[in-house]
Amino acid sequence: MRRRVTPARRTGAAGTALLLGSAGILLGLAAAPAQAAQVSFATHCVPPAGISPVDGTTEVAVTAPATAKVGDTVDIVWKFLQAASKNPDIIDLPANSVQPSGVLKAAGAQTGDIDLQGPRQNPPIPKGAPMVLSDMKGTLKLTAPGEVTLTPDAYTVNAMSTDTKCTPKETVQKAATIQVTAGGGGSPSPSPSPSPSPSPSPSPSTSAPTSPAPSTSASGGSGQTVFTGKEVQVPYACKTPIGDKSATSPVQINARKNGGSYDLIVQFKKSVMDSPVDIPKDSVKPSMEVVVGGADKGTVHVEGPTNAQPVKSGTPIEIPDLTGTYKPGASGTSTLAPGVLTIKALGTTTTCTPAKSEVSLTLDTTGQPGGTAGGTSSSGGTAAGGTTGDAGGLADTGSTTHGPLKALGLVAGTAILLGAAVFTFMPGRRTR
């Protein structure tokens, strides 16, 4: 049986709908919902020296309240829909290594710069992939009634302690508008509330180098097992992922007799640098080709293990001594000098070649079958320069356990900016 709806019931339902609709309108006015507007603009980005500038398009969405009153402090969000460039095909960026900061221009009823900043929060960004930047946030205190427009301006991408600065190449359209009504508490001038600026990159710790330890020439007489080389200043010319660099590093080569061969220990003794970034474990690997001269000819490969522990930003990079074995290929007076140094870090390779040869250790050698004469060798050795020590360890080297150096000296650290590995070469403090 169909139920009859009376006019009274129709009137009641209509009244209820009208009341609900009115309440919705009132709630909407009270909430002053935020608006999000999208704009895009041509952008010119300048990374640190050594990396080419990038031109691209930035797309952002800016969220701000549609209405507010004088005296209110409103929250503003800048969301990146597209950064101006992708991560170059050089290196993967690890998670949480990129932080954006930027400026919105306020105009209309009040003018000023609104500083915004996002957290250092991003997923891993592979080589060649789009950059993923966190949302930037800031606040603005409203000081005058009327219409306030918000327009994106310059922004900075801080990736593992290095900055790329991006500026618009064209007039940018406004991204949001706030209708400000009269209210209490307004100040006569605009007062944007800035977010804190990104922390500056860690500075290298430096101190005056001490004089090289003196070297005593030894003849390699009967019973001598340990030979200490002198510390030499090696001028390196380096090929890095971002161009040519140069640095001078103190290096010392020591040897220990082992049958007919000699165990070599190469030490980088000074020029310590604090890492400007967090470096994961097992990500820095140094090696060298020690040059054999004089009566013998060839090279001896020495290397150190990768860093066993992560290196925190602002702390020294721990790298052990480089070791290898030298088997003499000829009899006579032979020399050992630091040669080509190779540093592999976070997927990049830097190769450093001495601008001139600096002999650290002179040895009286006796040729062995399969020795280095005329070629290279992963084993080797002759010994005739240095200071005699006990058979149990090196004498006067400052390291009897082959313990780790504070840093390799040439590598100040690996700072990654939009995927490009940047090696900075600077002197530092003595490690021993």
Side-chain angles (χ1 to χ4, degrees):
M1 179 177 178
R2 178 180 296 177
R3 184 175 181 180
R4 184 178 180 183
V5 179
T6 65
R9 288 182 181 275
R10 292 193 185 96
T11 302
T16 301
L18 180 60
L19 289 173
L20 289 174
S22 300
I25 292 171
L26 291 173
L27 286 172
L29 291 174
Q35 55 174 334
Q38 298 181 13
V39 296
S40 62
F41 52 94
T43 310
H44 181 69
C45 296
V46 180
I51 304 176
S52 299
V54 174
D55 290 309
T57 300
T58 301
E59 295 183 9
V60 304
V62 175
T63 302
T67 61
K69 64 180 183 296
V70 172
D72 286 350
T73 297
V74 295
D75 295 326
I76 301 170
V77 178
W78 168 324
K79 182 179 183 64
F80 283 94
L81 304 177
Q82 176 182 296
S85 68
K86 294 183 178 181
N87 182 15
D89 294 321
I90 300 176
I91 193 169
D92 296 338
L93 285 174
N96 303 329
S97 62
V98 181
Q99 182 177 43
S101 59
V103 173
L104 277 172
K105 294 285 188 182
Q110 71 181 79
T111 61
D113 290 347
I114 307 165
D115 294 332
L116 304 99
Q117 187 177 67
R120 194 175 296 278
Q121 192 173 69
N122 60 277
I125 305 175
K127 303 173 200 152
M131 291 296 296
V132 181
L133 304 177
S134 62
D135 294 350
M136 301 191 301
K137 298 180 180 180
T139 59
L140 173 66
K141 184 172 183 179
L142 301 172
T143 59
E147 182 179 89
V148 177
T149 62
L150 305 176
T151 303
D153 197 55
Y155 63 92
T156 298
V157 178
N158 179 271
M160 297 183 71
S161 84
T162 59
D163 288 340
T164 285
K165 297 184 181 298
C166 299
T167 54
K169 293 177 60 181
E170 61 180 345
T171 301
V172 183
Q173 300 300 311
K174 66 182 180 181
T177 302
I178 305 174
Q179 297 295 337
V180 184
T181 59
S187 57
S189 60
S191 56
S193 178
S195 300
S197 300
S199 300
S201 303
S203 301
S205 52
T206 59
S207 63
T210 58
S211 301
S215 172
T216 303
S217 177
S219 63
S222 176
Q224 183 171 353
T225 59
V226 173
F227 305 89
T228 303
K230 67 178 180 179
E231 181 181 303
V232 293
Q233 302 293 323
V234 183
Y236 279 107
C238 301
K239 299 290 185 181
T240 81
I242 58 137
D244 295 344
K245 302 290 181 181
S246 61
T248 297
S249 184
V251 184
Q252 181 174 322
I253 301 175
N254 305 307
R256 178 189 290 110
K257 188 173 176 62
N258 184 3
S261 301
Y262 294 84
D263 295 330
L264 301 185
I265 301 94
V266 179
Q267 300 172 334
F268 286 80
K269 304 201 64 173
K270 289 185 294 202
S271 300
V272 175
M273 277 295 301
D274 293 340
S275 175
V277 299
D278 290 345
I279 298 179
K281 62 182 289 189
D282 298 326
S283 59
V284 179
K285 175 75 171 178
S287 63
M288 175 188 284
E289 307 305 315
V290 175
V291 177
V292 181
D296 204 358
K297 304 295 180 186
T299 60
V300 180
H301 181 77
V302 295
E303 64 180 36
T306 56
N307 53 306
Q309 300 296 329
V311 182
K312 292 293 184 182
S313 175
T315 62
I317 304 171
E318 298 278 351
I319 296 183
D321 299 344
L322 312 183
T323 60
T325 304
Y326 167 51
K327 179 186 289 186
S331 299
T333 300
S334 300
T335 60
L336 299 176
V340 175
L341 171 70
T342 301
I343 303 162
K344 295 184 177 181
L346 294 173
T348 67
T349 299
T350 290
T351 303
C352 299
T353 303
K356 63 177 180 177
S357 180
E358 296 286 349
V359 173
S360 174
L361 184 61
T362 301
L363 307 171
D364 290 338
T365 61
T366 301
Q368 303 291 318
T372 62
T376 57
S377 173
S378 60
S379 60
T382 331
T387 303
T388 304
D390 294 334
L394 296 176
D396 302 325
T397 65
S399 175
T400 59
T401 60
H402 303 185
L405 296 179
K406 290 292 185 180
L408 187 59
L410 282 175
V411 184
T414 307
I416 302 174
L417 177 66
L418 301 182
V422 181
F423 287 90
T424 305
F425 301 93
M426 294 182 179
R429 62 175 177 270
R430 185 176 180 89
T431 62
R432 298 185 184 279

